[in-house]
Structures are given as structure tokens and as C-alpha cells.
């Protein structure tokens, strides 16, 4: 099944085909060249890019000695190529291309989280049947080796939960809103100008990109199949700078977290803005940086931090995957490292919980008419729904006649909170929709 | 060379022999039992502890079905044992034991940083000749998989430097001194009572333990042989709570760091108290926790954080190593992951610099007679030695007639700082030895 079985092949360079020369592909190409000597010292083999597939010219890259094809399938069908790097993005052509590479007996390295979150079960199944690797360190948290950590480094542990800042664009926006008191829309425009956010920022700011990544992390952590469609996903577009600032007054930061948690009833999979205590290390991860906090039964909490995007960071992850594969060539690796951390026949069928069944504390912001009795009504409704109050912050009036009231609650099942918010919004003296942001202590 | 080559052996449980049942050995034993199902889902093999060597009884552990030997060499000579876990500590018997296990064709997992820092070149050479693994994730930063990160996760990078809080006892003491304004000796006593520090705390507070770990990290980062004897090592015993508090007033935290840095002239290897800007993530790693910050050319800075000691954390690392080995059994792995990250024949002969050649900024604390002209003398001497001042903090008099003067300098070669301090201490109006603590911006 494995390539390069013959002893004679062990000294031959390993040949890489890269499909797509955007940020990730270009980063990997440059890195393989710049650090060729260092990498060869680590692997005992030379690694060369022999074939590149790209639908247009990329004059910024030196492609001397590299075959360049406009037909990207020419790369996966090239008998000389040992490892295919798929970095075109998207899910339709990418899926065909990866499956074709696998069918051709080639190892694959991909950075494509959308592809894996949606078609990973099919792709890994094909790879296992064919005896090739599909490696994907660059798919989550860029250059931070979080895939390897979950699959190998923490392999002794039963993982209880993980919480990650896994979208740099969102974290940049929230950091700017807090540090400079800016509005969401204003920072988003800057992020787009800086190249941190796409022209259509939906994937980033609505949490879809984070949900793709969380799908992958949860599968590795708990040994469950990839289930993107079950992730509860909420963006950061409705957060105001006031919310960010009130949270800070109360000792919290707002982060856009992806959270996967094992409970007695099933797995929680959720991406949403979250208040976390400011003294937590992960609360202090700012700008475009990523971090993943993992709580496991033996080691306790560990945290992994670094650049989540950019040519260097993603190139580093792609090339680390290549190094892993090269180091394991000549190997008939029956019990090797499984794609999803657990052996394919040992994936568990634990249910993923609906978000209504999730229990968290809450930050609530109500805009109330500035008259007596309103607060009494509010606390009565919360109490009737079994919700205890942790803190109340009443701010001076901003608009004529109304005052913002901020409430931190103790943990409550989302279903009950929904009912309580329905009751609050029905009050005559509550004038705007109630803003809610979940709060996680992330105790560790 | 590898064990268990036969197909039939693939389904047989892998048998572990544990030598030493202290914190680490007991942690691994309990973890292999508690998480047996989860671990077997990850490896596709059952893993059982079949033999334990311990020189006394450990009634707290359930050893049903396990052979227990008072003669610890019986474990490494047991033909049934596939993997030996060496966790007795020390370097004399441990060295013999590990070499004997290797000679017997057994894989070894060890948590013994002193052994590897001092005899690692010999041990890894023997293991490579015999075709067995010697794994050592538990040797540095407990349950944080920093060995795997450096050897595999960052394999695409040229690593520029790393800086680690790699001794939990020292970090606990410094954290207590800062948070509660306590004295070193007072906190040390508490650390001993809590079991964080040994009765003889020298290894921890004088930086020897950290130097062992730094030796290992530097070898993995740069591809150089283990060179413990060349690490510059300075403890935290001379730090006062005043130093900790003055540093804080100036916007810094004092951490006991192990630093390895590649410069044009050679490698810096040093363990010493270090001021770092308080906004750095690593400055906020408190208590007994460990963290390692790695600066590499492609991914930039990444940080790895978690528990550095304790049964759960070290057990997690030992068992992760066992999982790695089990996953790679049945493998004829010529170009596998090398012990020291780089292929044995590709280690580099880069010189390790003497500490006098290292350039850092400094915190200086002088006790000066409270009269005019002293500060002028001090700044003149610094200036004559080419040292620029970043900040001066003059505190009110504490003792009769003398005042503390705190100076932050810009970066300067240690040799020049030594000369300047000699000049300062020769001044008639400087009454105590000059206290110096190095300062690293850890820009990333």
C-alpha cells in the first residue's frame, strides 16, 4: 500500500505536487525551498516540489525546475508525485481532487477545513482503504500543531472539553473593539483592508469557519465522526462596543469561542461569542492570534497558542505534515496514527446535544424604561424561570428615558433562558430585544 | 530490530514494565488502567502493565496480576516486557538500567531529564544502533507535549529561540512573592510543606533542573548534541520581594526562564531570573504551571502551556510516549522520527557561547548613600562602559541614610556589564553589592 517500499527508493528525494498557489500553497512552496537543508537534516531525505497546479500565473514565485500545469488534475495524476498538497479551497473540485489523489495511491496534505468538516468521513475512509495518509495540520489554528497534540500528545487522556479562539479575523475585530472602543462595522472594514478578512466576511464573522474547525477538533478529542451540520453557530456581528466594555467592567473579555464539551448526555458543539474571566490566559490572546485550551482528565488544562493564518504559519503546518509522512515512508504501519486520533472502527456514537440543552451562565443587556418597578419585574421573571443572578450593573441613561441594565446570571439550561427572555421581552418597559452573550468560567 | 514483527503479534497486548513507583510511575500505572478503553480505541491494541520493579511496597497501588520485583533489573531482563518505563530518577543506576533495556531490544520511556541531559548522547546512540526508541516526553514540562512539538510539529521551521518556565517550584515561589509580597525563604518553606519542593530544594531553586530540561530542548530545537555542562545556570535564591515589586512597578514580571537562542556566533544556553514585559502571555503563567515560548522563522511565536509536574501530568506524557511506540510497532522505520529531532548523522557542531558573550538588557538595584552626586557617578560609569539607560526609579530611603536606585538598561554584552558593575561597586557611596537581573523583551 505504501509508496517507496523498495530500499533503493529510500535515498531518492520525495516529490511534492502542490495544487493551488494562494497564501497556503505559496507559503509551503517557499518554506520547502528556504529551509530545505534544515528539513532534510530532520527527515534524512530531500523533499522537492516537482509539480504545481495553478489556474493562473503566480509571477511572485520562483518555479524553476517545477512542472506547472493549468489542469490541476495533472498533478494528482502525475506518477512522479509522492505527496499531493491540496490548497485550492472550496469543497467541490477539492473533494474530487483529493479522492483522485487517494485513488492514485498518493498521500495528501490539505489545509481545507471546509472540505474535511463536510466530507472528511468519506475522505478518511477512502484513505484508510487505500493505505495512504491524509494530513491536515494546517486546517485548524494555522501553525499551532493542535491536530498533532490532540491525536498524539494527549493520547493518554480522556478529554473533557476544549475551547478555542480559532478564527483570527474574529479575534482581531473583538480585540480592536475592546482596546480602542471601536464599532464592529468600522473594524471589519479595516480587517478587510489589511487582508485579514475576505470581501465577503460571512465565513469568519458568522462563525462558519470556526464551526468547520471545531468539527475537526471535536472528532479528534472524543473519537466521534465529523458532524459539521450539528454545530450550533452564532456570529459576532450583533456585538456592540458597549457590550465589550460592560463585560470588561465586570472583569470579563468577550471572545468568539468554539467549544466542544463531553457531558453525561452527549457532546456539546458550539461556536458563539463568550464572556470569559479576564485572568484566564486565553482571555489575553489578542489580535489575529489563535489559541486552544484543552481540559483533560490526566494532564488537566493545557493551552496552545500561535498564528492561525498567513503564509508562514499555514506553510509551517503543511510542511510539518509532509515531514511526518516522509519520516513514515518505508513503513507498513498497521497500527499507525489514525486520521481522527481514534482507530476508524472505534469511533463512538455519542449524540451531539441541541443547543437548547446546553448549560451556561449568561450576560444579559436590557434597555429599560427609566422608572421604578422595572428591575423588580425583571428579577421576578428570571426567578420564576429558575435563573439566579450573579451580578447586576445599572448604567446611567444613554437615550432619552431608557437605561441599560446588565445582568450576569448563574449557569442555566438554554431552554429556560429562552423562556425567560421571552418573558422579559414581553414586558412593556423593556424597549429593545434583550442582548445575550454566553459566559464560560473556563475553570482549569 | 523492532519487536513484534509478526502479523500474529499485532493483536496481542503490548506489555509494559515500570521501574519505580513514585509520582511518575504511579501516575502512569493508574492512567493506563483508568483510561484503558480510551487508549485502546486510539492505538488499536491493548496495553497492560505486566511487571513492576520497586525496592519497597507501594500499598496505594492496585498491582493485581502484575509481577512485582524488588530487583529492578528483573523488569528489563523480563522477555515478556515490550516497553520499559524508567522512572526511578538519578543517573547511575538509571543509566545502567536503560542501557540494559536497550541491549535487550526493548523500547524505553523515561521521565529522567538529568539522565538524558548528562548521558543522552550515549543512550540515544545505543538506541539507534539497536533500533529501539527511547521516548522522553515527560522529561520536560510534564504533560505539555513540548518534545513532540519541537521534534514534529515545528519540523518545517528554523527555530530562532525558545524561552521556558520549566520548573514549577520556582514559578510557584516567584508567583507567591509577587502576588502576596512574601519573602523567598518563607514561600520555599510552604512549597516544601505542599510537596512542590524537595527537602533539598537545590535542583529546583538553583536552576539545575531547568538546565537539564533546557539542554534537551536546545538539542531538539537546533539539532546539536546534548551539552548540559555548557548551560549557564543562576538560581532565584537571591531575589528579594523588593526586586519583584520594583519590577512590577516598571511593568515587568520576574520569571525563572530557561533560554536557548541561536545567534550568528553560536548558541546561548542560559537559566536565570528574567524580567519580561507583563503583557506577554508567558509573563502571566503563574503558580506551578509551565510554559514554553518558541520563536521560529515560519510560524513565528507559539506558546505551549500546562502542568509541569504531578502524577497526572507526567503520567499523561509517559503514556503518550507508550502510545506513540505502540502505534509504530510492526514498523521497519528507517527514516522515523529521530530521538533528537534531527537525524543522528546531521547534528550540528555549533558552539555554545559563554555567558559573558550574551547580550541582554538589565535591571540593576543599587543601595546608595542618600547624598548628591551619587547618581551622577553611577550614570557616568554606565556611560563609560557603553551602557544606555532605559529607565531610573529612585525609591524613598528604607534604611538610615541609604536609598534604593533601580535602573533598567538597554541591551549590553554581559562582559561590559560585569566591568560596569565592578566600577559601581567600587564607588564609596554604593553600600551593598549591586543586584542584577537580566531583562528579555521576548518580542514576538
Amino acid at each position: 500500500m505504501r509508496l517507496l517500499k523498495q530500499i533503493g527508493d529510500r535515498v531518492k528525494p520525495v516529490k511534492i505536487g502542490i495544487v493551488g498557489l494562494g497564501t497556503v500553497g505559496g507559503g509551503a512552496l517557499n518554506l520547502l525551498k528556504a529551509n530545505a537543508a534544515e528539513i532534510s537534516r530532520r527527515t534524512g531525505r530531500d523533499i522537492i516540489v516537482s509539480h504545481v497546479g495553478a489556474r493562473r500565473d503566480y509571477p511572485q514565485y520562483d518555479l524553476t525546475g517545477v512542472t506547472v500545469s493549468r489542469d490541476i488534475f495533472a498533478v494528482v495524476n502525475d506518477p512522479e508525485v509522492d505527496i499531493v498538497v491540496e490548497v485550492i479551497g472550496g469543497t467541490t473540485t477539492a473533494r474530487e481532487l483529493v479522492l483522485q489523489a487517494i485513488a492514485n495511491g498518493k498521500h495528501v496534505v490539505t489545509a481545507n477545513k471546509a472540505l474535511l468538516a463536510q466530507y472528511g468521513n468519506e475522505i478518511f475512509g477512502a484513505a484508510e482503504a487505500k493505505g495512504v495518509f491524509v494530513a491536515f495540520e494546517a486546517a485548524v489554528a494555522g501553525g499551532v500543531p493542535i491536530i498533532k497534540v490532540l491525536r498524539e500528545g494527549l493520547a493518554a487522556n480522556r478529554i473533557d472539553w476544549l475551547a478555542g479562539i480559532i478564527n483570527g479575523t474574529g479575534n482581531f475585530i473583538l480585540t480592536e473593539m475592546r482596546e480602542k472602543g471601536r464599532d464592529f462595522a468600522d473594524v471589519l472594514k479595516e480587517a478587510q483592508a489589511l487582508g485579514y478578512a475576505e470581501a465577503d466576511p460571512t465565513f469568519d464573522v458568522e462563525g462558519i469557519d470556526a464551526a468547520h474547525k471545531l468539527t475537526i477538533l471535536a472528532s479528534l478529542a472524543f473519537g466521534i465522526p465529523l458532524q459539521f451540520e450539528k454545530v450550533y453557530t452564532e456570529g459576532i456581528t450583533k456585538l456592540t462596543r458597549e457590550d465589550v466594555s460592560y463585560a470588561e467592567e465586570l472583569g470579563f473579555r468577550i471572545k468568539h469561542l468554539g467549544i466542544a464539551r463531553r457531558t453525561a448526555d452527549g457532546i456539546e458543539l458550539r461556536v458563539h461569542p463568550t464572556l470569559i474571566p479576564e485572568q484566564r490566559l486565553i482571555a489575553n490572546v489578542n489580535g489575529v492570534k489563535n489559541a486552544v485550551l484543552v481540559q483533560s482528565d490526566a494532564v488537566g488544562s493545557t493551552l496552545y497558542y500561535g498564528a492561525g493564518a498567513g503564509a508562514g504559519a499555514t506553510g509551517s503546518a503543511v510542511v510539518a505534515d509532509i515531514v511526518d509522512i516522509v519520516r513514515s515512508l518505508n513503513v507498513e504501519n498497521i497500527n499507525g496514527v489514525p486520521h481522527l486520533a481514534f482507530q476508524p472502527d472505534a469511533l463512538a456514537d455519542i449524540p451531539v446535544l441541541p443547543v437548547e440543552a446546553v448549560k451556561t451562565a449568561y450576560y444579559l443587556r436590557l434597555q429599560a424604561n427609566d422608572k421604578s418597578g422595572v428591575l423588580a419585574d425583571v428579577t421576578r421573571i428570571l426567578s420564576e424561570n429558575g435563573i439566579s443572578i450573579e451580578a447586576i450593573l445599572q448604567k446611567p441613561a444613554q437615550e432619552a428615558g431608557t437605561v441599560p441594565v446588565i445582568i450576569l446570571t448563574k449557569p442555566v439550561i438554554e431552554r429556560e433562558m429562552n423562556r425567560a427572555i421571552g418573558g422579559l421581552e414581553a414586558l412593556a418597559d423593556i424597549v429593545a430585544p434583550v442582548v445575550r452573550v454566553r459566559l464560560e468560567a473556563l475553570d482549569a
Side-chain angles (χ1 to χ4, degrees), chain A residues 152-182:
Chain A
E152 304 173 36
L154 301 180
N157 292 263
R158 193 172 186 278
I159 293 172
D160 300 314
W161 55 263
L162 58 84
I165 296 173
I166 46 182
N167 181 279
T169 308
N171 203 46
F172 171 79
I173 292 173
L174 292 176
T175 302
E176 288 288 304
M177 287 173 73
R178 183 182 69 80
E179 289 183 351
K180 300 180 187 157
R182 295 170 66 187

Side-chain angles (χ1 to χ4, degrees), chain A residues 122-166:
Chain A
E122 176 190 16
I123 288 167
F124 296 131
E128 282 140 20
K130 193 74 187 176
V132 295
F133 296 110
V134 174
F136 51 97
E137 187 61 80
V140 185
V144 182
I146 187 66
I147 304 296
K148 181 173 285 292
V149 163
L150 289 173
R151 199 154 58 179
E152 304 173 36
L154 301 180
N157 292 263
R158 193 172 186 278
I159 293 172
D160 300 314
W161 55 263
L162 58 84
I165 296 173
I166 46 182

Side-chain angles (χ1 to χ4, degrees), chain A residues 234-297:
Chain A
E234 186 180 313
I236 55 171
T237 55
K238 286 174 200 145
L239 290 174
T240 65
R241 61 180 172 184
E242 286 79 17
D243 291 320
V244 171
S245 144
Y246 296 154
E248 189 158 23
E249 263 186 74
L250 290 157
F252 295 86
R253 301 278 166 86
I254 301 185
K255 294 291 180 189
H256 200 191
L257 292 187
I259 298 175
R261 189 189 300 261
R262 190 200 306 251
T263 76
D265 302 317
I267 305 278
E268 299 175 5
L269 291 181
R270 47 198 172 95
V271 172
H272 53 69
T274 317
L275 272 74
I276 40 183
E278 64 190 3
Q279 70 273 24
R280 299 277 180 271
L281 218 50
I282 197 170
N284 293 285
V285 169
N286 292 320
V288 294
K289 297 288 189 172
N290 281 202
V292 181
L293 176 62
V294 185
Q295 174 71 28
S296 339
D297 66 346

Side-chain angles (χ1 to χ4, degrees), chain A residues 128-386:
Chain A
E128 282 140 20
K130 193 74 187 176
V132 295
F133 296 110
V134 174
F136 51 97
E137 187 61 80
V140 185
V144 182
I146 187 66
I147 304 296
K148 181 173 285 292
V149 163
L150 289 173
R151 199 154 58 179
E152 304 173 36
L154 301 180
N157 292 263
R158 193 172 186 278
I159 293 172
D160 300 314
W161 55 263
L162 58 84
I165 296 173
I166 46 182
N167 181 279
T169 308
N171 203 46
F172 171 79
I173 292 173
L174 292 176
T175 302
E176 288 288 304
M177 287 173 73
R178 183 182 69 80
E179 289 183 351
K180 300 180 187 157
R182 295 170 66 187
D183 277 321
F184 173 82
D186 170 35
V187 187
L188 175 59
K189 259 184 225 146
E190 188 196 343
Q192 287 169 320
L194 287 167
Y196 294 159
E198 306 289 330
D200 175 0
T202 311
F203 260 47
D204 290 323
V205 300
E206 294 296 356
I208 301 162
D209 174 71
H212 286 143
K213 293 164 175 168
L214 184 72
T215 301
I216 296 170
L217 294 179
S219 185
L220 298 170
F222 306 127
I224 56 174
L226 297 151
Q227 295 164 82
F228 169 64
E229 69 286 357
K230 294 190 187 159
V231 181
Y232 170 76
T233 305
E234 186 180 313
I236 55 171
T237 55
K238 286 174 200 145
L239 290 174
T240 65
R241 61 180 172 184
E242 286 79 17
D243 291 320
V244 171
S245 144
Y246 296 154
E248 189 158 23
E249 263 186 74
L250 290 157
F252 295 86
R253 301 278 166 86
I254 301 185
K255 294 291 180 189
H256 200 191
L257 292 187
I259 298 175
R261 189 189 300 261
R262 190 200 306 251
T263 76
D265 302 317
I267 305 278
E268 299 175 5
L269 291 181
R270 47 198 172 95
V271 172
H272 53 69
T274 317
L275 272 74
I276 40 183
E278 64 190 3
Q279 70 273 24
R280 299 277 180 271
L281 218 50
I282 197 170
N284 293 285
V285 169
N286 292 320
V288 294
K289 297 288 189 172
N290 281 202
V292 181
L293 176 62
V294 185
Q295 174 71 28
S296 339
D297 66 346
V299 68
S301 71
T302 54
L303 179 135
Y304 309 89
Y305 158 91
T314 50
S316 169
V318 165
V319 175
D321 279 344
I322 293 174
V323 167
D324 271 2
I325 294 171
V326 171
R327 280 171 164 169
S328 72
L329 290 177
N330 309 313
V331 161
E332 200 192 337
N333 197 351
I334 304 296
N335 284 313
V337 184
H339 287 108
L340 291 176
F342 292 75
Q343 298 290 324
D345 59 3
L347 293 190
D349 190 22
I350 315 173
V352 175
L353 296 176
V355 75
E356 291 73 24
V358 168
K359 189 173 190 174
T360 66
Y362 280 88
Y363 160 102
L364 302 178
R365 176 164 57 84
L366 300 81
Q367 203 68 25
N369 284 327
D370 193 7
K371 50 193 221 191
S372 66
V374 181
L375 206 56
D377 285 341
V378 166
T379 54
R380 176 183 51 76
I381 288 175
L382 291 175
S383 167
E384 282 169 4
N385 285 283

